Amino acid sequence: SRRCPWSVRASPSAGPLPYPLLPAGRARPSHSEPRGRDGRGEEEEEEMEGWQQLYPGHIPTSPLQKALLAAGSAVMALYDPYRHDMVAVLGETTGCLALPNLRDKMKNHPEGYRILQERPRIRLSTLDMARLQGLPEGSLGREYVRFLEDNKVSPDTRMPPKFVDDEELAYVIQRYREVHDVMHTLLGMPTNMLGEVVVKWFEAIQTGLPMCVLGAAFGPVRLSTRKLQVLATELVPWAIRSGLNASCVLNVYYEQRWEQPVESLREELGIFPPP
């Protein structure tokens, strides 16, 4: 598949984490386990011994470990924006302020709240690709499938969260990753460096995630002079205006909007037409 910079996709050839993790304790047992000899529950004993594993794949980490992971992943992501695993680690270890804010926005919105309750996933196993391909031209579902085909990407390559120490916030960042390609579709941007930088500017304004801010700020260093001029004079101002004007993009149940025209959804959200 075509490589996409500053995007969080699973990569079978990804290298090791920038710093090794220290032991963080065993997983938290279920509430049904028997109590210990001294009358305390096994659960309480486990909590005293170390951290809790909050969801499948979760790697509990201390604040110091998160800081080391954030620093190392930032350096690696800047050196090679195609290191999707490093971009993922950076997003999770630096999102401690932005993710709760995004969750609160979802909780205070009827559609966003329903998404948090139902936890939908955008994956090949949940998408009816044949139906989406048969939708009218210009509809969100048809244009989304066209984006996947044209850029040779798959929704199944999105990496699951590991370092977010809250199960609900882990879903929030997972949801952000899975709607990232929908953002490309709505913004009309390809997966090359120029398109990814534009999307990152929009997402930085929308989400406040430091990973998006870093990608928006440092992604352009690899662009040619001509592309930098287009970026600075047309694309970035448009992305910033759209990001500020649009309502929260995580509050849209996209799985139930596939038939809606892209232009209609842009207008509903407050995204200005692409230049």
Side-chain angles (χ1 to χ4, degrees), residues 105-118:
K105 287 183 178 180
M106 296 177 74
K107 283 187 172 181
N108 293 323
H109 187 276
E111 200 164 339
Y113 181 76
R114 192 153 60 90
I115 293 170
L116 281 178
Q117 295 300 304
E118 299 179 7

Side-chain angles (χ1 to χ4, degrees), residues 134-152:
L135 291 176
E137 295 289 325
S139 64
L140 177 64
R142 182 67 191 91
E143 297 308 314
Y144 173 70
V145 171
R146 193 193 311 278
F147 168 84
L148 297 179
E149 293 172 344
D150 290 348
N151 293 280
K152 298 179 173 60

Side-chain angles (χ1 to χ4, degrees), residues 136-202:
E137 295 289 325
S139 64
L140 177 64
R142 182 67 191 91
E143 297 308 314
Y144 173 70
V145 171
R146 193 193 311 278
F147 168 84
L148 297 179
E149 293 172 344
D150 290 348
N151 293 280
K152 298 179 173 60
V153 294
S154 166
D156 283 1
T157 57
R158 291 297 170 187
M159 296 182 67
K162 296 179 181 178
F163 300 107
V164 180
D165 294 329
D166 182 286
E167 187 267 343
E168 191 172 44
L169 296 182
Y171 174 75
V172 172
I173 198 166
Q174 182 74 55
R175 182 65 176 176
Y176 155 73
R177 290 172 181 174
E178 293 185 355
V179 303
H180 177 75
D181 288 339
V182 181
M183 293 302 99
H184 273 275
T185 304
L186 283 173
L187 298 174
M189 291 293 132
T191 59
N192 57 20
M193 182 62 76
L194 180 63
E196 196 64 47
V197 168
V198 175
V199 174
K200 279 292 174 283
W201 273 102
F202 177 84

